[in-house]
Amino acid sequence: ETGVTQSPTHLIKTRGQQVTLRCSSQSGHNTVSWYQQALGQGPQFIFQYYREEENGRGNFPPRFSGLQFPNYSSELNVNALELDDSALYLCASSVVRGVGANVLTFGAGSRLTVL
Amino acid sequence: LAKTTQPISMDSYEGQEVNITCSHNNIATNDYITWYQQFPSQGPRFIIQGYKTKVTNEVASLFIPADRKSSTLSLPRVSLSDTAVYYCLVGNGSSNTGKLIFGQGTTLQVKP
């Protein structure tokens, strides 16, 4: 089975720009979650998608938005980038319930630097 | 979602057993306890999950007392490659899957 893949692995943007990060879920998983991890901190939950709809959101402003596609892949979009958005963005997939629920499979992340 | 408390850092030597304890006083009846390992510039990796008593897999053991207000991750005979950050999380296995709250984790440094 394939794991979670994210792209791009690294990118540099300037303040005010917009960015789209992509994620392919692990085979058999139907839920995608996005996390932001600042240097030296634990991952912070941004939002979760299930059945192509947002299914829970953390304490992030509306300029953080996402999509889930029928094949369970996902995008994270961030508008009006700020310097504090510089972080590792992690995508994680899982099953919504049953055996394996509450076990997240993470990708390697996309490292975003905002200048 | 229950909050967890764990030591910020621990040091150990190769070949020793390492025990990392996590407190979760407000754990709910249907919450599971899950531990993840993270290396620099990588995503967290699932280590072990349990509900009560003891769980063991090829990597680690997880000890959970009867009141479930704490848990201990045990890593047998650590090696240098076990140097990483270890996160303890609690959450249930249904509708809020993925909405897990990570703390700062425990940074384990294994020395030769």
Side-chain angles (χ1 to χ4, degrees):
Chain A
E1 63 183 19
T2 58
V4 175
T5 57
Q6 294 186 241
S7 62
T9 55
H10 297 82
L11 69 167
I12 299 173
K13 294 284 189 177
T14 57
R15 274 192 310 174
Q17 285 189 312
Q18 178 265 346
V19 68
T20 297
L21 307 177
R22 296 178 175 81
C23 171
S24 294
S25 302
Q26 177 167 308
S27 176
H29 287 182
N30 52 18
T31 302
V32 173
S33 303
W34 285 90
Y35 287 79
Q36 179 196 66
Q37 186 173 27
L39 205 59
Q41 303 296 316
Q44 301 298 306
F45 174 71
I46 303 176
F47 43 56
Q48 178 192 74
Y49 277 81
Y50 172 60
R51 290 185 176 177
E52 303 175 46
E53 292 190 358
E54 189 178 289
N55 181 37
R57 188 179 185 93
N59 189 25
F60 281 82
R63 60 190 184 84
F64 285 79
S65 63
L67 287 171
Q68 186 184 31
F69 301 100
N71 66 354
Y72 305 123
S73 64
S74 177
E75 286 183 356
L76 165 65
N77 298 289
V78 186
N79 294 321
L81 285 168
E82 300 177 359
L83 296 179
D84 285 348
D85 295 333
S86 295
L88 181 67
Y89 287 85
L90 296 162
C91 171
S93 69
S94 60
V95 293
V96 70
R97 58 177 55 85
V99 175
N102 212 39
V103 175
L104 302 178
T105 300
F106 283 86
S110 294
R111 172 74 63 187
L112 171 65
T113 302
V114 182
L115 302 176
Chain B
L1 295 172
K3 181 181 176 181
T4 60
T5 303
Q6 52 184 123
I8 295 294
S9 64
M10 294 181 69
D11 288 341
S12 183
Y13 291 93
E14 283 190 291
Q16 289 188 329
E17 178 185 75
V18 172
N19 296 308
I20 306 174
T21 297
C22 178
S23 297
H24 26 81
N25 291 317
N26 296 323
I27 189 168
T29 302
N30 56 352
D31 281 343
Y32 286 79
I33 300 156
T34 312
W35 286 79
Y36 289 84
Q37 174 193 56
Q38 186 177 27
F39 299 111
S41 297
Q42 293 186 26
R45 182 178 73 101
F46 170 81
I47 301 174
I48 197 166
Q49 183 182 73
Y51 184 80
K52 62 180 179 180
T53 63
K54 176 183 174 182
V55 179
T56 298
N57 61 22
E58 65 278 5
V59 176
S61 294
L62 179 60
F63 298 92
I64 305 168
D67 66 5
R68 303 200 328 122
K69 293 183 183 298
S70 67
S71 59
T72 299
L73 174 71
S74 181
L75 304 172
R77 298 179 300 281
V78 294
S79 64
L80 296 177
S81 62
D82 292 317
T83 295
V85 179
Y86 293 82
Y87 294 99
C88 161
L89 296 91
V90 296
N92 70 50
S94 59
S95 60
N96 70 345
T97 298
K99 306 173 193 175
L100 297 174
I101 299 176
F102 285 77
Q104 281 197 298
T106 298
T107 299
L108 172 65
Q109 179 71 50
V110 180
K111 303 175 182 178

